Amino acid sequence: MIRQHRASAALALVCAVAGAGLVGCEEARTADSKPSASATAAGGADGAAENTSFTGTKKIEVEGRSVNVSCSGDPVENRPVIVLLHGGGDGLDTMADLQETLGAQHRTCSYDRLGAGASDQPDGPQTLEDGGKVLTEVLDQVAGDAPVVLAGHSLGGLIAARYAPDHQDKVEGLVLMDATSPTQSADLQEEIPESATGTAVDLREQTLAVLRGESPEKLVVPDGEVRSAGNIPVEVIQHGKQYLAAVPEYGQDLELAWSEGQRKWLAISSDSELSTAENSGHYIHVDEPDVAVAAIQRVVSKAAG
């Protein structure tokens, strides 16, 4: 059983009104969050073979930048490697318990994107294509020739879903945990008018700023159509505790728009399913870890076929 982090709907709302609740929230980290493995591997370019079998945390070099990665569990023949992607403002520490649990049966890794956690800062604004190049190098070094299942939370879910269609030779399954909507900017501007005041306008403006790249990651995230990744197994999980409903005046409409955003992600595959984590706020893998684990294991089993 994964250790509970005591993240609550109230905390998720604090994240939302601070402007990050729709892409992730640094405030959701807890004091006892830790890297997913007890040992830390030495950094440096040790070669692909060593990288695909190490456990613990280590730094790898990606195009001259240092990227912090963490892996648990041993490679399993004919099974994809699970790679976890954290939300905006977070780091791989928020995935630590999920990774530890999955690592008991599967090779499972996570990484800090540039500008997050212990990875280097980006030199300037990053596009999704830039982030995809980093992800490709991470996958090459931690998974080698093995296929992968990507499981992303919030902004990490959006990144995984944007990446998969262009890498169908590598990505054999997706789990999107309350992923940021593919049309998040338009959703916010439609549901919260410019005439809004107070909490609602703060949520809109600060979240839009993050999507424009005004965050430590400097990642620019434009709206876009959902592209197909073929018929890979995909599970989309949305939150059940309607924390956005607490936003004065516009909360219910925000919840409806969020649910619609989750349904849009179903178009990524002909084998996709949507479910609701009834007792979860935005951080499904923290509030209901068993739900997240079960979904990832189902996708891994389907992908292994």
Side-chain angles (χ1 to χ4, degrees), residues 43 45 74 79 139 154 164 179 232 282:
D74 298 321
R79 287 263 168 174
L139 297 183
S154 196
I232 63 172
H282 189 45

Side-chain angles (χ1 to χ4, degrees), residues 8-275:
S8 65
L11 178 56
L13 177 59
V14 170
C15 296
V17 300
L22 304 180
V23 293
C25 181
E26 188 173 9
E27 297 301 325
R29 299 193 200 187
T30 58
D32 62 347
S33 289
K34 57 174 177 58
S36 59
S38 58
T40 300
D46 299 323
E50 182 175 335
N51 282 339
T52 56
S53 61
F54 86 94
T55 59
T57 60
K58 71 184 300 181
K59 300 292 184 65
I60 64 174
E61 184 174 323
V62 178
E63 297 186 347
R65 312 299 289 173
S66 177
V67 175
N68 189 46
V69 300
S70 174
C71 288
S72 303
D74 298 321
V76 180
E77 188 176 0
N78 299 322
R79 287 263 168 174
V81 174
I82 301 166
V83 178
L84 308 175
L85 285 76
H86 62 77
D90 292 331
L92 63 78
D93 59 335
T94 61
M95 296 293 190
D97 289 347
L98 181 61
Q99 180 176 313
E100 184 177 1
T101 297
L102 291 167
Q105 298 182 42
H106 313 277
R107 176 74 170 164
T108 307
C109 299
S110 58
Y111 74 107
D112 290 324
R113 295 189 293 273
L114 293 181
S119 290
D120 281 353
Q121 298 297 308
D123 291 330
Q126 298 190 89
T127 64
L128 286 171
E129 289 74 19
D130 295 329
K133 291 178 182 178
V134 174
L135 177 54
T136 294
E137 184 63 25
V138 169
L139 297 183
D140 286 346
Q141 295 203 38
V142 303
D145 294 332
V148 299
V149 164
L150 301 180
H153 166 246
S154 196
L155 182 58
L158 181 148
I159 292 169
R162 294 291 193 214
Y163 182 86
D166 293 326
H167 299 85
Q168 296 182 43
D169 59 333
K170 189 69 172 178
V171 180
E172 294 195 349
L174 290 172
V175 178
L176 309 181
M177 298 176 284
D178 227 31
T180 301
S181 169
T183 53
Q184 188 63 74
S185 294
D187 296 347
L188 276 172
Q189 292 177 85
E190 179 178 350
E191 300 303 334
I192 304 176
E194 291 186 2
S195 59
T197 60
T199 298
V201 73
D202 289 343
L203 169 62
R204 185 193 66 198
E205 294 306 315
Q206 292 178 35
T207 302
L208 291 176
V210 170
L211 296 172
R212 290 194 301 266
E214 298 173 24
S215 71
E217 288 190 49
K218 299 181 181 178
L219 182 64
V220 180
V221 185
D223 287 351
E225 295 293 325
V226 177
R227 294 179 299 127
S228 174
N231 64 347
I232 63 172
V234 176
E235 292 212 18
V236 179
I237 314 172
Q238 64 182 352
H239 66 258
K241 289 185 176 180
Q242 297 193 349
Y243 70 91
L244 290 171
V247 176
E249 189 176 353
Y250 304 101
Q252 289 296 335
D253 288 339
L254 287 172
E255 286 288 355
L256 290 173
W258 185 264
S259 293
E260 179 58 29
Q262 303 306 294
R263 286 191 290 273
K264 288 176 182 177
W265 285 125
L266 294 175
I268 198 169
S269 173
S270 58
D271 183 14
S272 58
E273 297 182 9
L274 173 65
S275 63

